[in-house]
């Protein structure tokens, strides 16, 4: 849940990047971290990685600036994608205000995407939240692989698998090249801050 | 204003703030943009573009890319706001000292107390975090705003009453009373400084002859040493001692340059071309950049006394230190398996090959995915028997479930009847290739050219050039 400190006039929103293992969640955060101005970002915290895999979570704090006197900060989290880290994933998801589902376009990971989205939905339900009621965008990552010999899913296939029920905004991206990373972040940031302020704050600023 | 209009207005401000923050980085928006019809917000969000913020600052506080010298300190404060740790405090202190070093002389003198108090507050956070108010990062943030305003102000007296005095008062009240005994604790608690802090820069700059001393250095040495919790500032050396110090710093710079060129860069290049070492490579790159920044700081502090061709002091031989530096890019593998695939010569890593051979004709019809169970020979045959490498140790039950994608080559269509099949595997990833001809082992000759592939999304780890012929080396690497 968003942290709102009326005495300090600060709002902290939590956005979680969710998705199957190795879909590029950490790479998304690394790209954001390396591109943002120093004044707007904090130090990226990566906890416990083994090889290229996130075992606990990554965290990147961003400072959005002041709106109506409120200092708005966004904290971007990733979850470990591997199935075995279900408990950690659920823990990181706690208190999330916005979600980015990062989908892996490799054909061999097609089922993993669907399983991961279902895992997200189930974990949210355990916290009493409904996925369809939360700010959510879906990112189709690794689109740079489309032109390689590696078999990949088309956007239509990904849409059919992942977005037929939710009908949310989707973004094609390539986290390693930076394509689509900020478009995704911009959209989820808008949705999340609106969601948080509508829910908790709007009446305070009238 | 009605509730609806108020809400729309507020949302417009949110969109505006987010667009301002992310727009410089985003490319073309492929999806339908969010409601852009919201009224223009009367109040602009705080984080203005760097160029906008830097416009009023003197040149000494601007870097080449237009960012100002305050940005690293702002970043450090944001990190401190999240987590008060020794490394975050150290980063903030260094960034603050950097700002002080770049200030104009007269302003630096006038703002000495602000700098000193901010540094003391940071030191207090390092030494006794439990006694520092949780609002300390916010107080430092206000101190930073004052410094920023002072940097852009023509006359400091104009902001003295409105900004300087309140800031000083807040900083003084934020610094807790810490007993003197803490100073030893603080020194022990602080991480070992591997690079030169601004304090050391001051030493180097103060070592210059009086005529050569920059006015900036004069200002920075006027900072009164803190008697209670801060380490004492070095005493400016004079005469012969100064010359000795200059010589020592020049020699240190020569050694630092040599270390970067011969030690750090080769290792960085090695990490760059080694699959799975992307994060280590990033860490190493950051380390090199930090050392290079420190080198530049020292050169700047030395000013006219810097000698680019200073002799490197004789060091006792350590390990391979006397060996000639390796070429910038050396092929990380001694042997590759050459093959023709889709009409092109490519290389594979022998240790990643788990199967190669001519399978039965039905395997050729497997399409884009190859179930490994199709490779077993005879009804009672086992998949493990035909596998090599890491898959030969795998349980038969697991092997039966494995399906591996078949790589599409640009030239070939369906595999020919006599096409050999090659399967690569590393950790949990695998890929099958229908080759034109079987593989041949090639010992990579020393001195051949190796260009690592920078795009981690491809299967090509790099290009090997032997006798003018470029061979892409395909590996299963992290994606």
């Amino acid at each position: 849940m968003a942290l709102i400190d009326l005495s300090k006039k600060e709002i902290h929103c939590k956005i979680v990047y969710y998705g199957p293992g190795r879909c590029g969640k950490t790479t998304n955060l690394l790209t954001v971290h390396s591109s943002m101005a120093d004044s707007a970002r904090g130090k990226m915290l990566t906890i416990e990685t083994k090889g290229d895999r996130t075992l606990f979570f990554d965290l990147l704090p961003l400072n959005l600036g002041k709106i109506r006197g409120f200092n708005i900060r966004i904290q971007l989290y990733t979850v470990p994608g591997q199935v075995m880290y279900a408990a950690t994933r659920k823990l990181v998801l706690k208190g999330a205000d916005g979600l980015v589902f990062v989908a892996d376009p490799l054909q061999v990971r097609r089922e993993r995407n669907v399983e991961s989205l279902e895992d997200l939905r189930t974990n949210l339900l355990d916290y009493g939240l409904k996925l369809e009621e939360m700010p959510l965008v879906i990112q189709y990552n690794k689109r740079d692989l489309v032109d390689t010999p590696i078999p990949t899913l088309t956007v239509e296939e990904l849409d059919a698998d992942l977005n037929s029920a939710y009908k949310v905004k989707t973004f094609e991206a390539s986290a390693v090249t930076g394509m689509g990373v900020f478009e995704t972040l911009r959209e989820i940031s808008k949705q999340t801050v609106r969601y948080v302020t509508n829910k908790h704050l709007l009446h305070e600023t009238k | 204003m009605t509730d609806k209009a108020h809400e729309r207005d507020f949302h417009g401000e949110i969109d505006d703030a987010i667009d301002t923050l992310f727009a410089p980085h985003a490319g073309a928006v492929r999806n339908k943009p969010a409601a852009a019809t919201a009224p223009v917000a009367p109040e602009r969000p705080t984080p203005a573009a760097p160029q906008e913020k830097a416009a009023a600052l003197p040149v000494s506080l601007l870097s080449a890319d237009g960012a100002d010298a305050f940005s690293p300190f702002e970043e450090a404060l944001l990190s401190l706001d999240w987590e008060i740790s020794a490394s975050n405090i150290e980063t903030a202190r260094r960034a603050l000292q950097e700002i002080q070093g770049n200030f104009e002389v007269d302003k630096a003198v006038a703002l000495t107390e602000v700098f000193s108090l901010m540094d003391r507050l940071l030191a207090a956070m390092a030494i006794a975090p439990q006694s520092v108010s949780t609002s300390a990062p916010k107080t430092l943030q206000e101190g930073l705003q004052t410094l920023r305003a002072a940097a852009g102000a023509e006359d400091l007296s104009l902001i003295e009453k409105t900004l300087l005095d309140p800031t000083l008062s807040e900083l003084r009240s934020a610094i807790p009373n810490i007993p003197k005994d803490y100073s030893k604790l603080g020194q022990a608690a602080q991480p070992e400084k591997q690079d030169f802090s601004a304090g050391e820069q001051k030493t180097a700059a103060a070592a210059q002859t009086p005529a050569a001393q920059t006015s900036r250095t004069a200002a920075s040495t006027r900072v009164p040493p803190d008697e209670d919790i801060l380490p004492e500032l070095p005493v400016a050396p004079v005469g012969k001692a100064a010359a000795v110090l200059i010589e020592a710093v020049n020699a240190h710079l020569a050694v630092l340059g040599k270390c970067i060129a011969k030690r750090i860069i080769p290792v960085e290049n090695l990490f760059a071309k080694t699959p799975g070492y992307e994060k280590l490579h990033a860490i190493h790159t950051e380390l090199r950049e930090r050392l290079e920044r420190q080198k530049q700081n020292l050169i700047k502090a030395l000013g006219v006394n810097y000698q680019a061709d200073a002799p490197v002091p004789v060091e006792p031989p350590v390990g391979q230190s006397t060996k000639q530096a390796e070429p910038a890019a050396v092929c990380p593998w001694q042997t590759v398996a050459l093959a023709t695939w889709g009409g092109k010569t490519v290389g594979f890593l022998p240790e990643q090959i788990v199967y190669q051979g001519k399978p039965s004709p039905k395997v050729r019809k497997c399409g884009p995915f190859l179930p490994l169970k199709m490779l077993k020979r005879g009804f009672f045959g086992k998949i493990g028997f035909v596998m090599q490498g890491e898959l030969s140790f795998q349980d038969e039950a697991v092997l039966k479930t494995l399906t591996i994608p078949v790589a599409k080559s640009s030239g070939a269509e369906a595999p020919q009847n006599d096409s050999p099949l090659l399967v690569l595997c590393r950790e949990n990833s695998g890929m099958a290739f229908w080759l034109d001809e079987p593989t041949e082992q090639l010992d990579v000759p020393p001195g051949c050219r190796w260009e690592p592939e920078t795009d981690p999304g491809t299967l090509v780890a790099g290009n090997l050039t032997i006798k003018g012929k470029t061979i892409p080396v395909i590996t299963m690497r992290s994606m």
Side-chain angles (χ1 to χ4, degrees):
Chain A
M1 199 175 113
L3 174 74
I4 298 182
D5 187 332
L6 288 175
S7 63
K8 286 186 187 172
K9 292 207 134 193
E10 279 183 355
I11 303 172
H12 291 249
C13 305
K14 179 176 180 178
I15 295 174
V16 177
Y17 280 66
Y18 209 93
R22 295 196 148 188
C23 67
K25 301 177 286 293
T26 300
T27 313
N28 258 282
L29 256 64
L30 285 170
T31 302
V32 173
H33 180 259
S34 61
S35 308
M36 296 288 292
D38 293 348
S39 54
R41 65 167 199 206
K43 191 170 78 175
M44 181 159 165
L45 190 71
T46 299
I47 298 179
E48 291 293 319
T49 56
K50 184 184 178 187
D52 271 352
R53 297 172 183 212
T54 305
L55 292 192
F56 197 35
F57 67 86
D58 304 312
L59 164 72
L60 175 60
L62 297 177
N63 194 1
L64 201 63
K66 273 189 181 166
I67 300 174
R68 302 259 172 116
F70 277 85
N71 210 3
I72 299 188
R73 295 188 175 184
I74 296 175
Q75 289 157 1
L76 305 182
Y77 283 77
T78 66
V79 294
Q82 280 69 32
V83 177
M84 68 183 99
Y85 301 117
T88 312
R89 202 160 42 244
K90 190 171 170 183
L91 195 67
V92 176
L93 199 58
K94 188 173 184 180
D97 301 303
L99 298 159
V100 176
F101 184 81
V102 183
D104 195 325
L106 297 183
Q107 282 212 4
V108 286
R109 311 239 170 103
R110 187 171 189 168
E111 283 181 20
R112 295 276 177 277
N113 288 328
V114 179
E115 284 167 9
S116 180
L117 190 61
E118 181 57 24
D119 182 52
L120 170 61
R121 197 186 67 79
T122 314
N123 282 337
L124 284 174
L125 275 179
D126 287 350
Y127 289 126
L129 298 167
K130 287 183 181 170
L131 182 55
E132 54 270 28
E133 291 174 4
M134 289 195 69
L136 167 72
V137 298
I138 299 178
Q139 183 189 74
Y140 300 145
N141 196 15
K142 303 187 186 176
R143 298 314 291 169
D144 53 313
L145 295 183
V146 171
D147 299 328
T148 69
I150 301 166
T152 52
L153 298 164
T154 62
V155 171
E156 290 71 28
E157 286 171 326
L158 287 161
D159 265 335
D161 285 352
L162 306 170
N163 201 22
S164 56
Y166 301 107
K167 307 278 185 212
V168 295
K169 284 196 176 180
T170 60
F171 293 86
E172 288 185 62
S174 166
V176 288
T177 63
M179 182 196 96
V181 169
F182 278 96
E183 285 81 353
T184 309
L185 179 57
R186 185 160 61 178
E187 179 58 31
I188 192 61
S189 300
K190 285 180 183 177
Q191 287 189 23
T192 306
V193 177
R194 281 183 179 203
Y195 173 76
V196 168
T197 50
N198 277 350
K199 201 168 166 185
H200 305 286
L201 190 68
L202 210 51
H203 64 283
E204 297 289 342
T205 62
K206 284 178 190 176
Chain B
M1 191 183 282
T2 64
D3 281 359
K4 284 260 179 200
H6 173 81
E7 193 176 319
R8 205 170 47 238
D9 194 23
F10 191 70
H11 287 164
E13 287 183 47
I14 293 169
D15 289 356
D16 194 26
I18 291 168
D19 285 338
T20 308
L21 185 65
F22 298 136
H25 312 288
V29 178
R30 276 167 287 282
N31 286 53
K32 192 180 167 187
T37 51
V40 177
E43 185 189 346
R44 278 190 65 78
T46 302
Q51 298 87 334
E52 199 176 307
K53 282 201 289 190
L57 295 177
V59 182
S60 62
L61 287 164
L62 294 175
S63 66
D65 58 358
D68 64 52
F70 298 104
S71 296
F73 189 62
E74 277 186 314
E75 184 190 19
L77 287 185
L78 196 57
S79 298
L80 268 182
D81 211 10
W82 170 253
E83 183 195 25
I84 293 179
S85 67
S87 66
N88 282 347
I89 292 169
E90 188 59 25
T91 308
R93 288 184 79 174
R94 273 206 296 270
L96 183 65
Q97 285 162 343
E98 190 78 24
I99 294 172
Q100 188 178 18
N102 288 322
F103 247 86
E104 293 168 35
V105 187
D106 49 344
K107 285 183 179 174
V109 173
L111 296 167
T112 295
E113 195 177 359
V114 179
F115 281 115
S116 173
L117 288 172
M118 288 173 76
D119 195 42
R120 286 179 65 179
L121 183 53
L122 284 166
M125 287 164 82
I127 295 163
Q130 73 283 2
S131 60
V132 177
S133 160
T134 49
S135 62
K138 206 171 181 65
T139 309
L140 288 167
Q141 184 73 42
E142 282 164 21
L144 173 67
Q145 296 310 328
T146 303
L147 290 178
R148 189 187 282 284
E154 284 185 16
D155 186 358
L156 284 185
S157 60
L158 295 174
I159 60 163
E160 192 175 346
K161 286 274 186 289
T162 54
L163 270 177
L164 273 179
D165 288 348
T167 303
L168 285 171
S169 152
E170 278 200 35
L171 283 168
R172 282 190 204 109
S173 60
I175 297 172
N177 286 326
I178 298 174
K180 282 191 175 185
D181 292 350
Y182 260 113
S183 60
K184 286 177 188 170
L185 285 174
Q187 282 166 8
Q190 279 184 7
E192 187 185 341
K193 290 180 187 179
Q194 293 184 338
D195 43 19
F196 277 71
S197 68
E200 286 161 309
Q201 288 174 35
K202 283 170 197 157
T203 315
Q208 297 171 19
T209 55
Q213 277 186 10
T214 59
S215 49
R216 178 167 67 80
T217 313
S220 58
T221 51
R222 290 189 199 190
V223 178
D226 299 299
E227 291 176 1
D228 49 0
I229 56 171
L230 291 182
E232 285 187 11
L233 284 175
V235 179
V238 289
K240 193 179 172 185
V244 170
L245 193 54
I246 290 169
E247 194 184 335
V249 175
N250 272 314
H252 171 75
L253 281 170
V255 173
L256 190 59
K258 192 179 161 188
C259 280
I260 292 172
K262 294 193 173 183
R263 296 273 181 187
I264 294 175
I265 291 176
V267 178
E268 188 183 334
N269 287 340
L270 185 65
F271 285 150
K273 66 197 172 193
T274 309
Y277 280 67
E278 289 81 5
K279 284 188 179 173
L280 265 178
H281 174 246
I283 291 168
H284 220 74
T285 305
E286 193 196 344
L287 172 70
R288 176 181 51 75
E289 286 171 355
R290 282 181 66 184
L291 287 173
E292 281 173 347
R293 273 201 300 274
Q294 292 307 319
K295 193 178 159 196
Q296 289 309 316
N297 286 340
L298 282 175
I299 291 170
K300 202 173 166 187
L302 277 177
V304 293
N305 291 309
Y306 172 60
Q307 296 169 0
D309 53 351
V312 178
V314 179
E315 296 173 81
V318 180
Q320 302 290 315
S321 61
T322 52
K323 278 192 175 178
Q324 204 176 352
E326 291 177 22
V330 178
C331 179
W333 302 286
Q334 292 179 336
T335 311
V336 292
L338 285 189
T340 314
W341 176 58
K344 287 181 188 169
T345 304
V346 294
F348 299 100
L349 299 190
E351 61 266 30
Q352 291 187 356
I353 298 174
V354 292
Y355 174 89
Q356 60 177 326
K358 291 183 180 174
S360 62
K362 65 175 182 179
V363 180
R364 296 174 202 286
K365 295 172 187 166
C366 69
F369 295 101
L370 170 70
L372 288 187
K373 63 185 176 190
M374 290 182 83
L375 295 176
K376 72 175 184 177
R377 289 176 190 145
F379 187 74
F380 296 105
K382 294 204 172 212
I383 308 167
F385 291 166
V386 296
M387 289 292 152
Q388 60 190 66
E390 64 179 85
L391 287 193
S392 61
F393 303 107
Q394 195 61 263
D395 283 343
E396 191 68 12
V398 176
L399 290 173
K400 274 183 190 168
T401 63
L402 292 182
T403 299
I404 284 182
V406 178
K408 287 184 285 186
S409 71
S410 53
E413 294 161 6
Q416 302 298 313
N417 283 341
D418 56 346
S419 295
L421 175 72
L422 180 134
V423 180
L424 293 184
C425 182
R426 177 176 172 258
E427 293 178 358
N428 299 326
S429 306
M431 184 72 78
F433 299 81
W434 287 107
L435 304 177
D436 302 340
E437 288 168 14
T439 61
E440 281 177 36
Q441 292 281 100
L442 171 78
D443 292 330
V444 178
C448 70
R449 191 181 163 86
W450 170 255
E451 288 175 42
E453 175 62 49
T454 51
D455 179 5
T458 76
L459 290 172
V460 176
N463 291 298
L464 193 61
T465 306
I466 302 173
K467 293 179 183 170
K469 191 175 179 184
T470 302
I471 303 164
V473 177
I474 296 173
T475 67
M476 293 310 303
R477 53 180 191 157
S478 330
M479 286 185 290

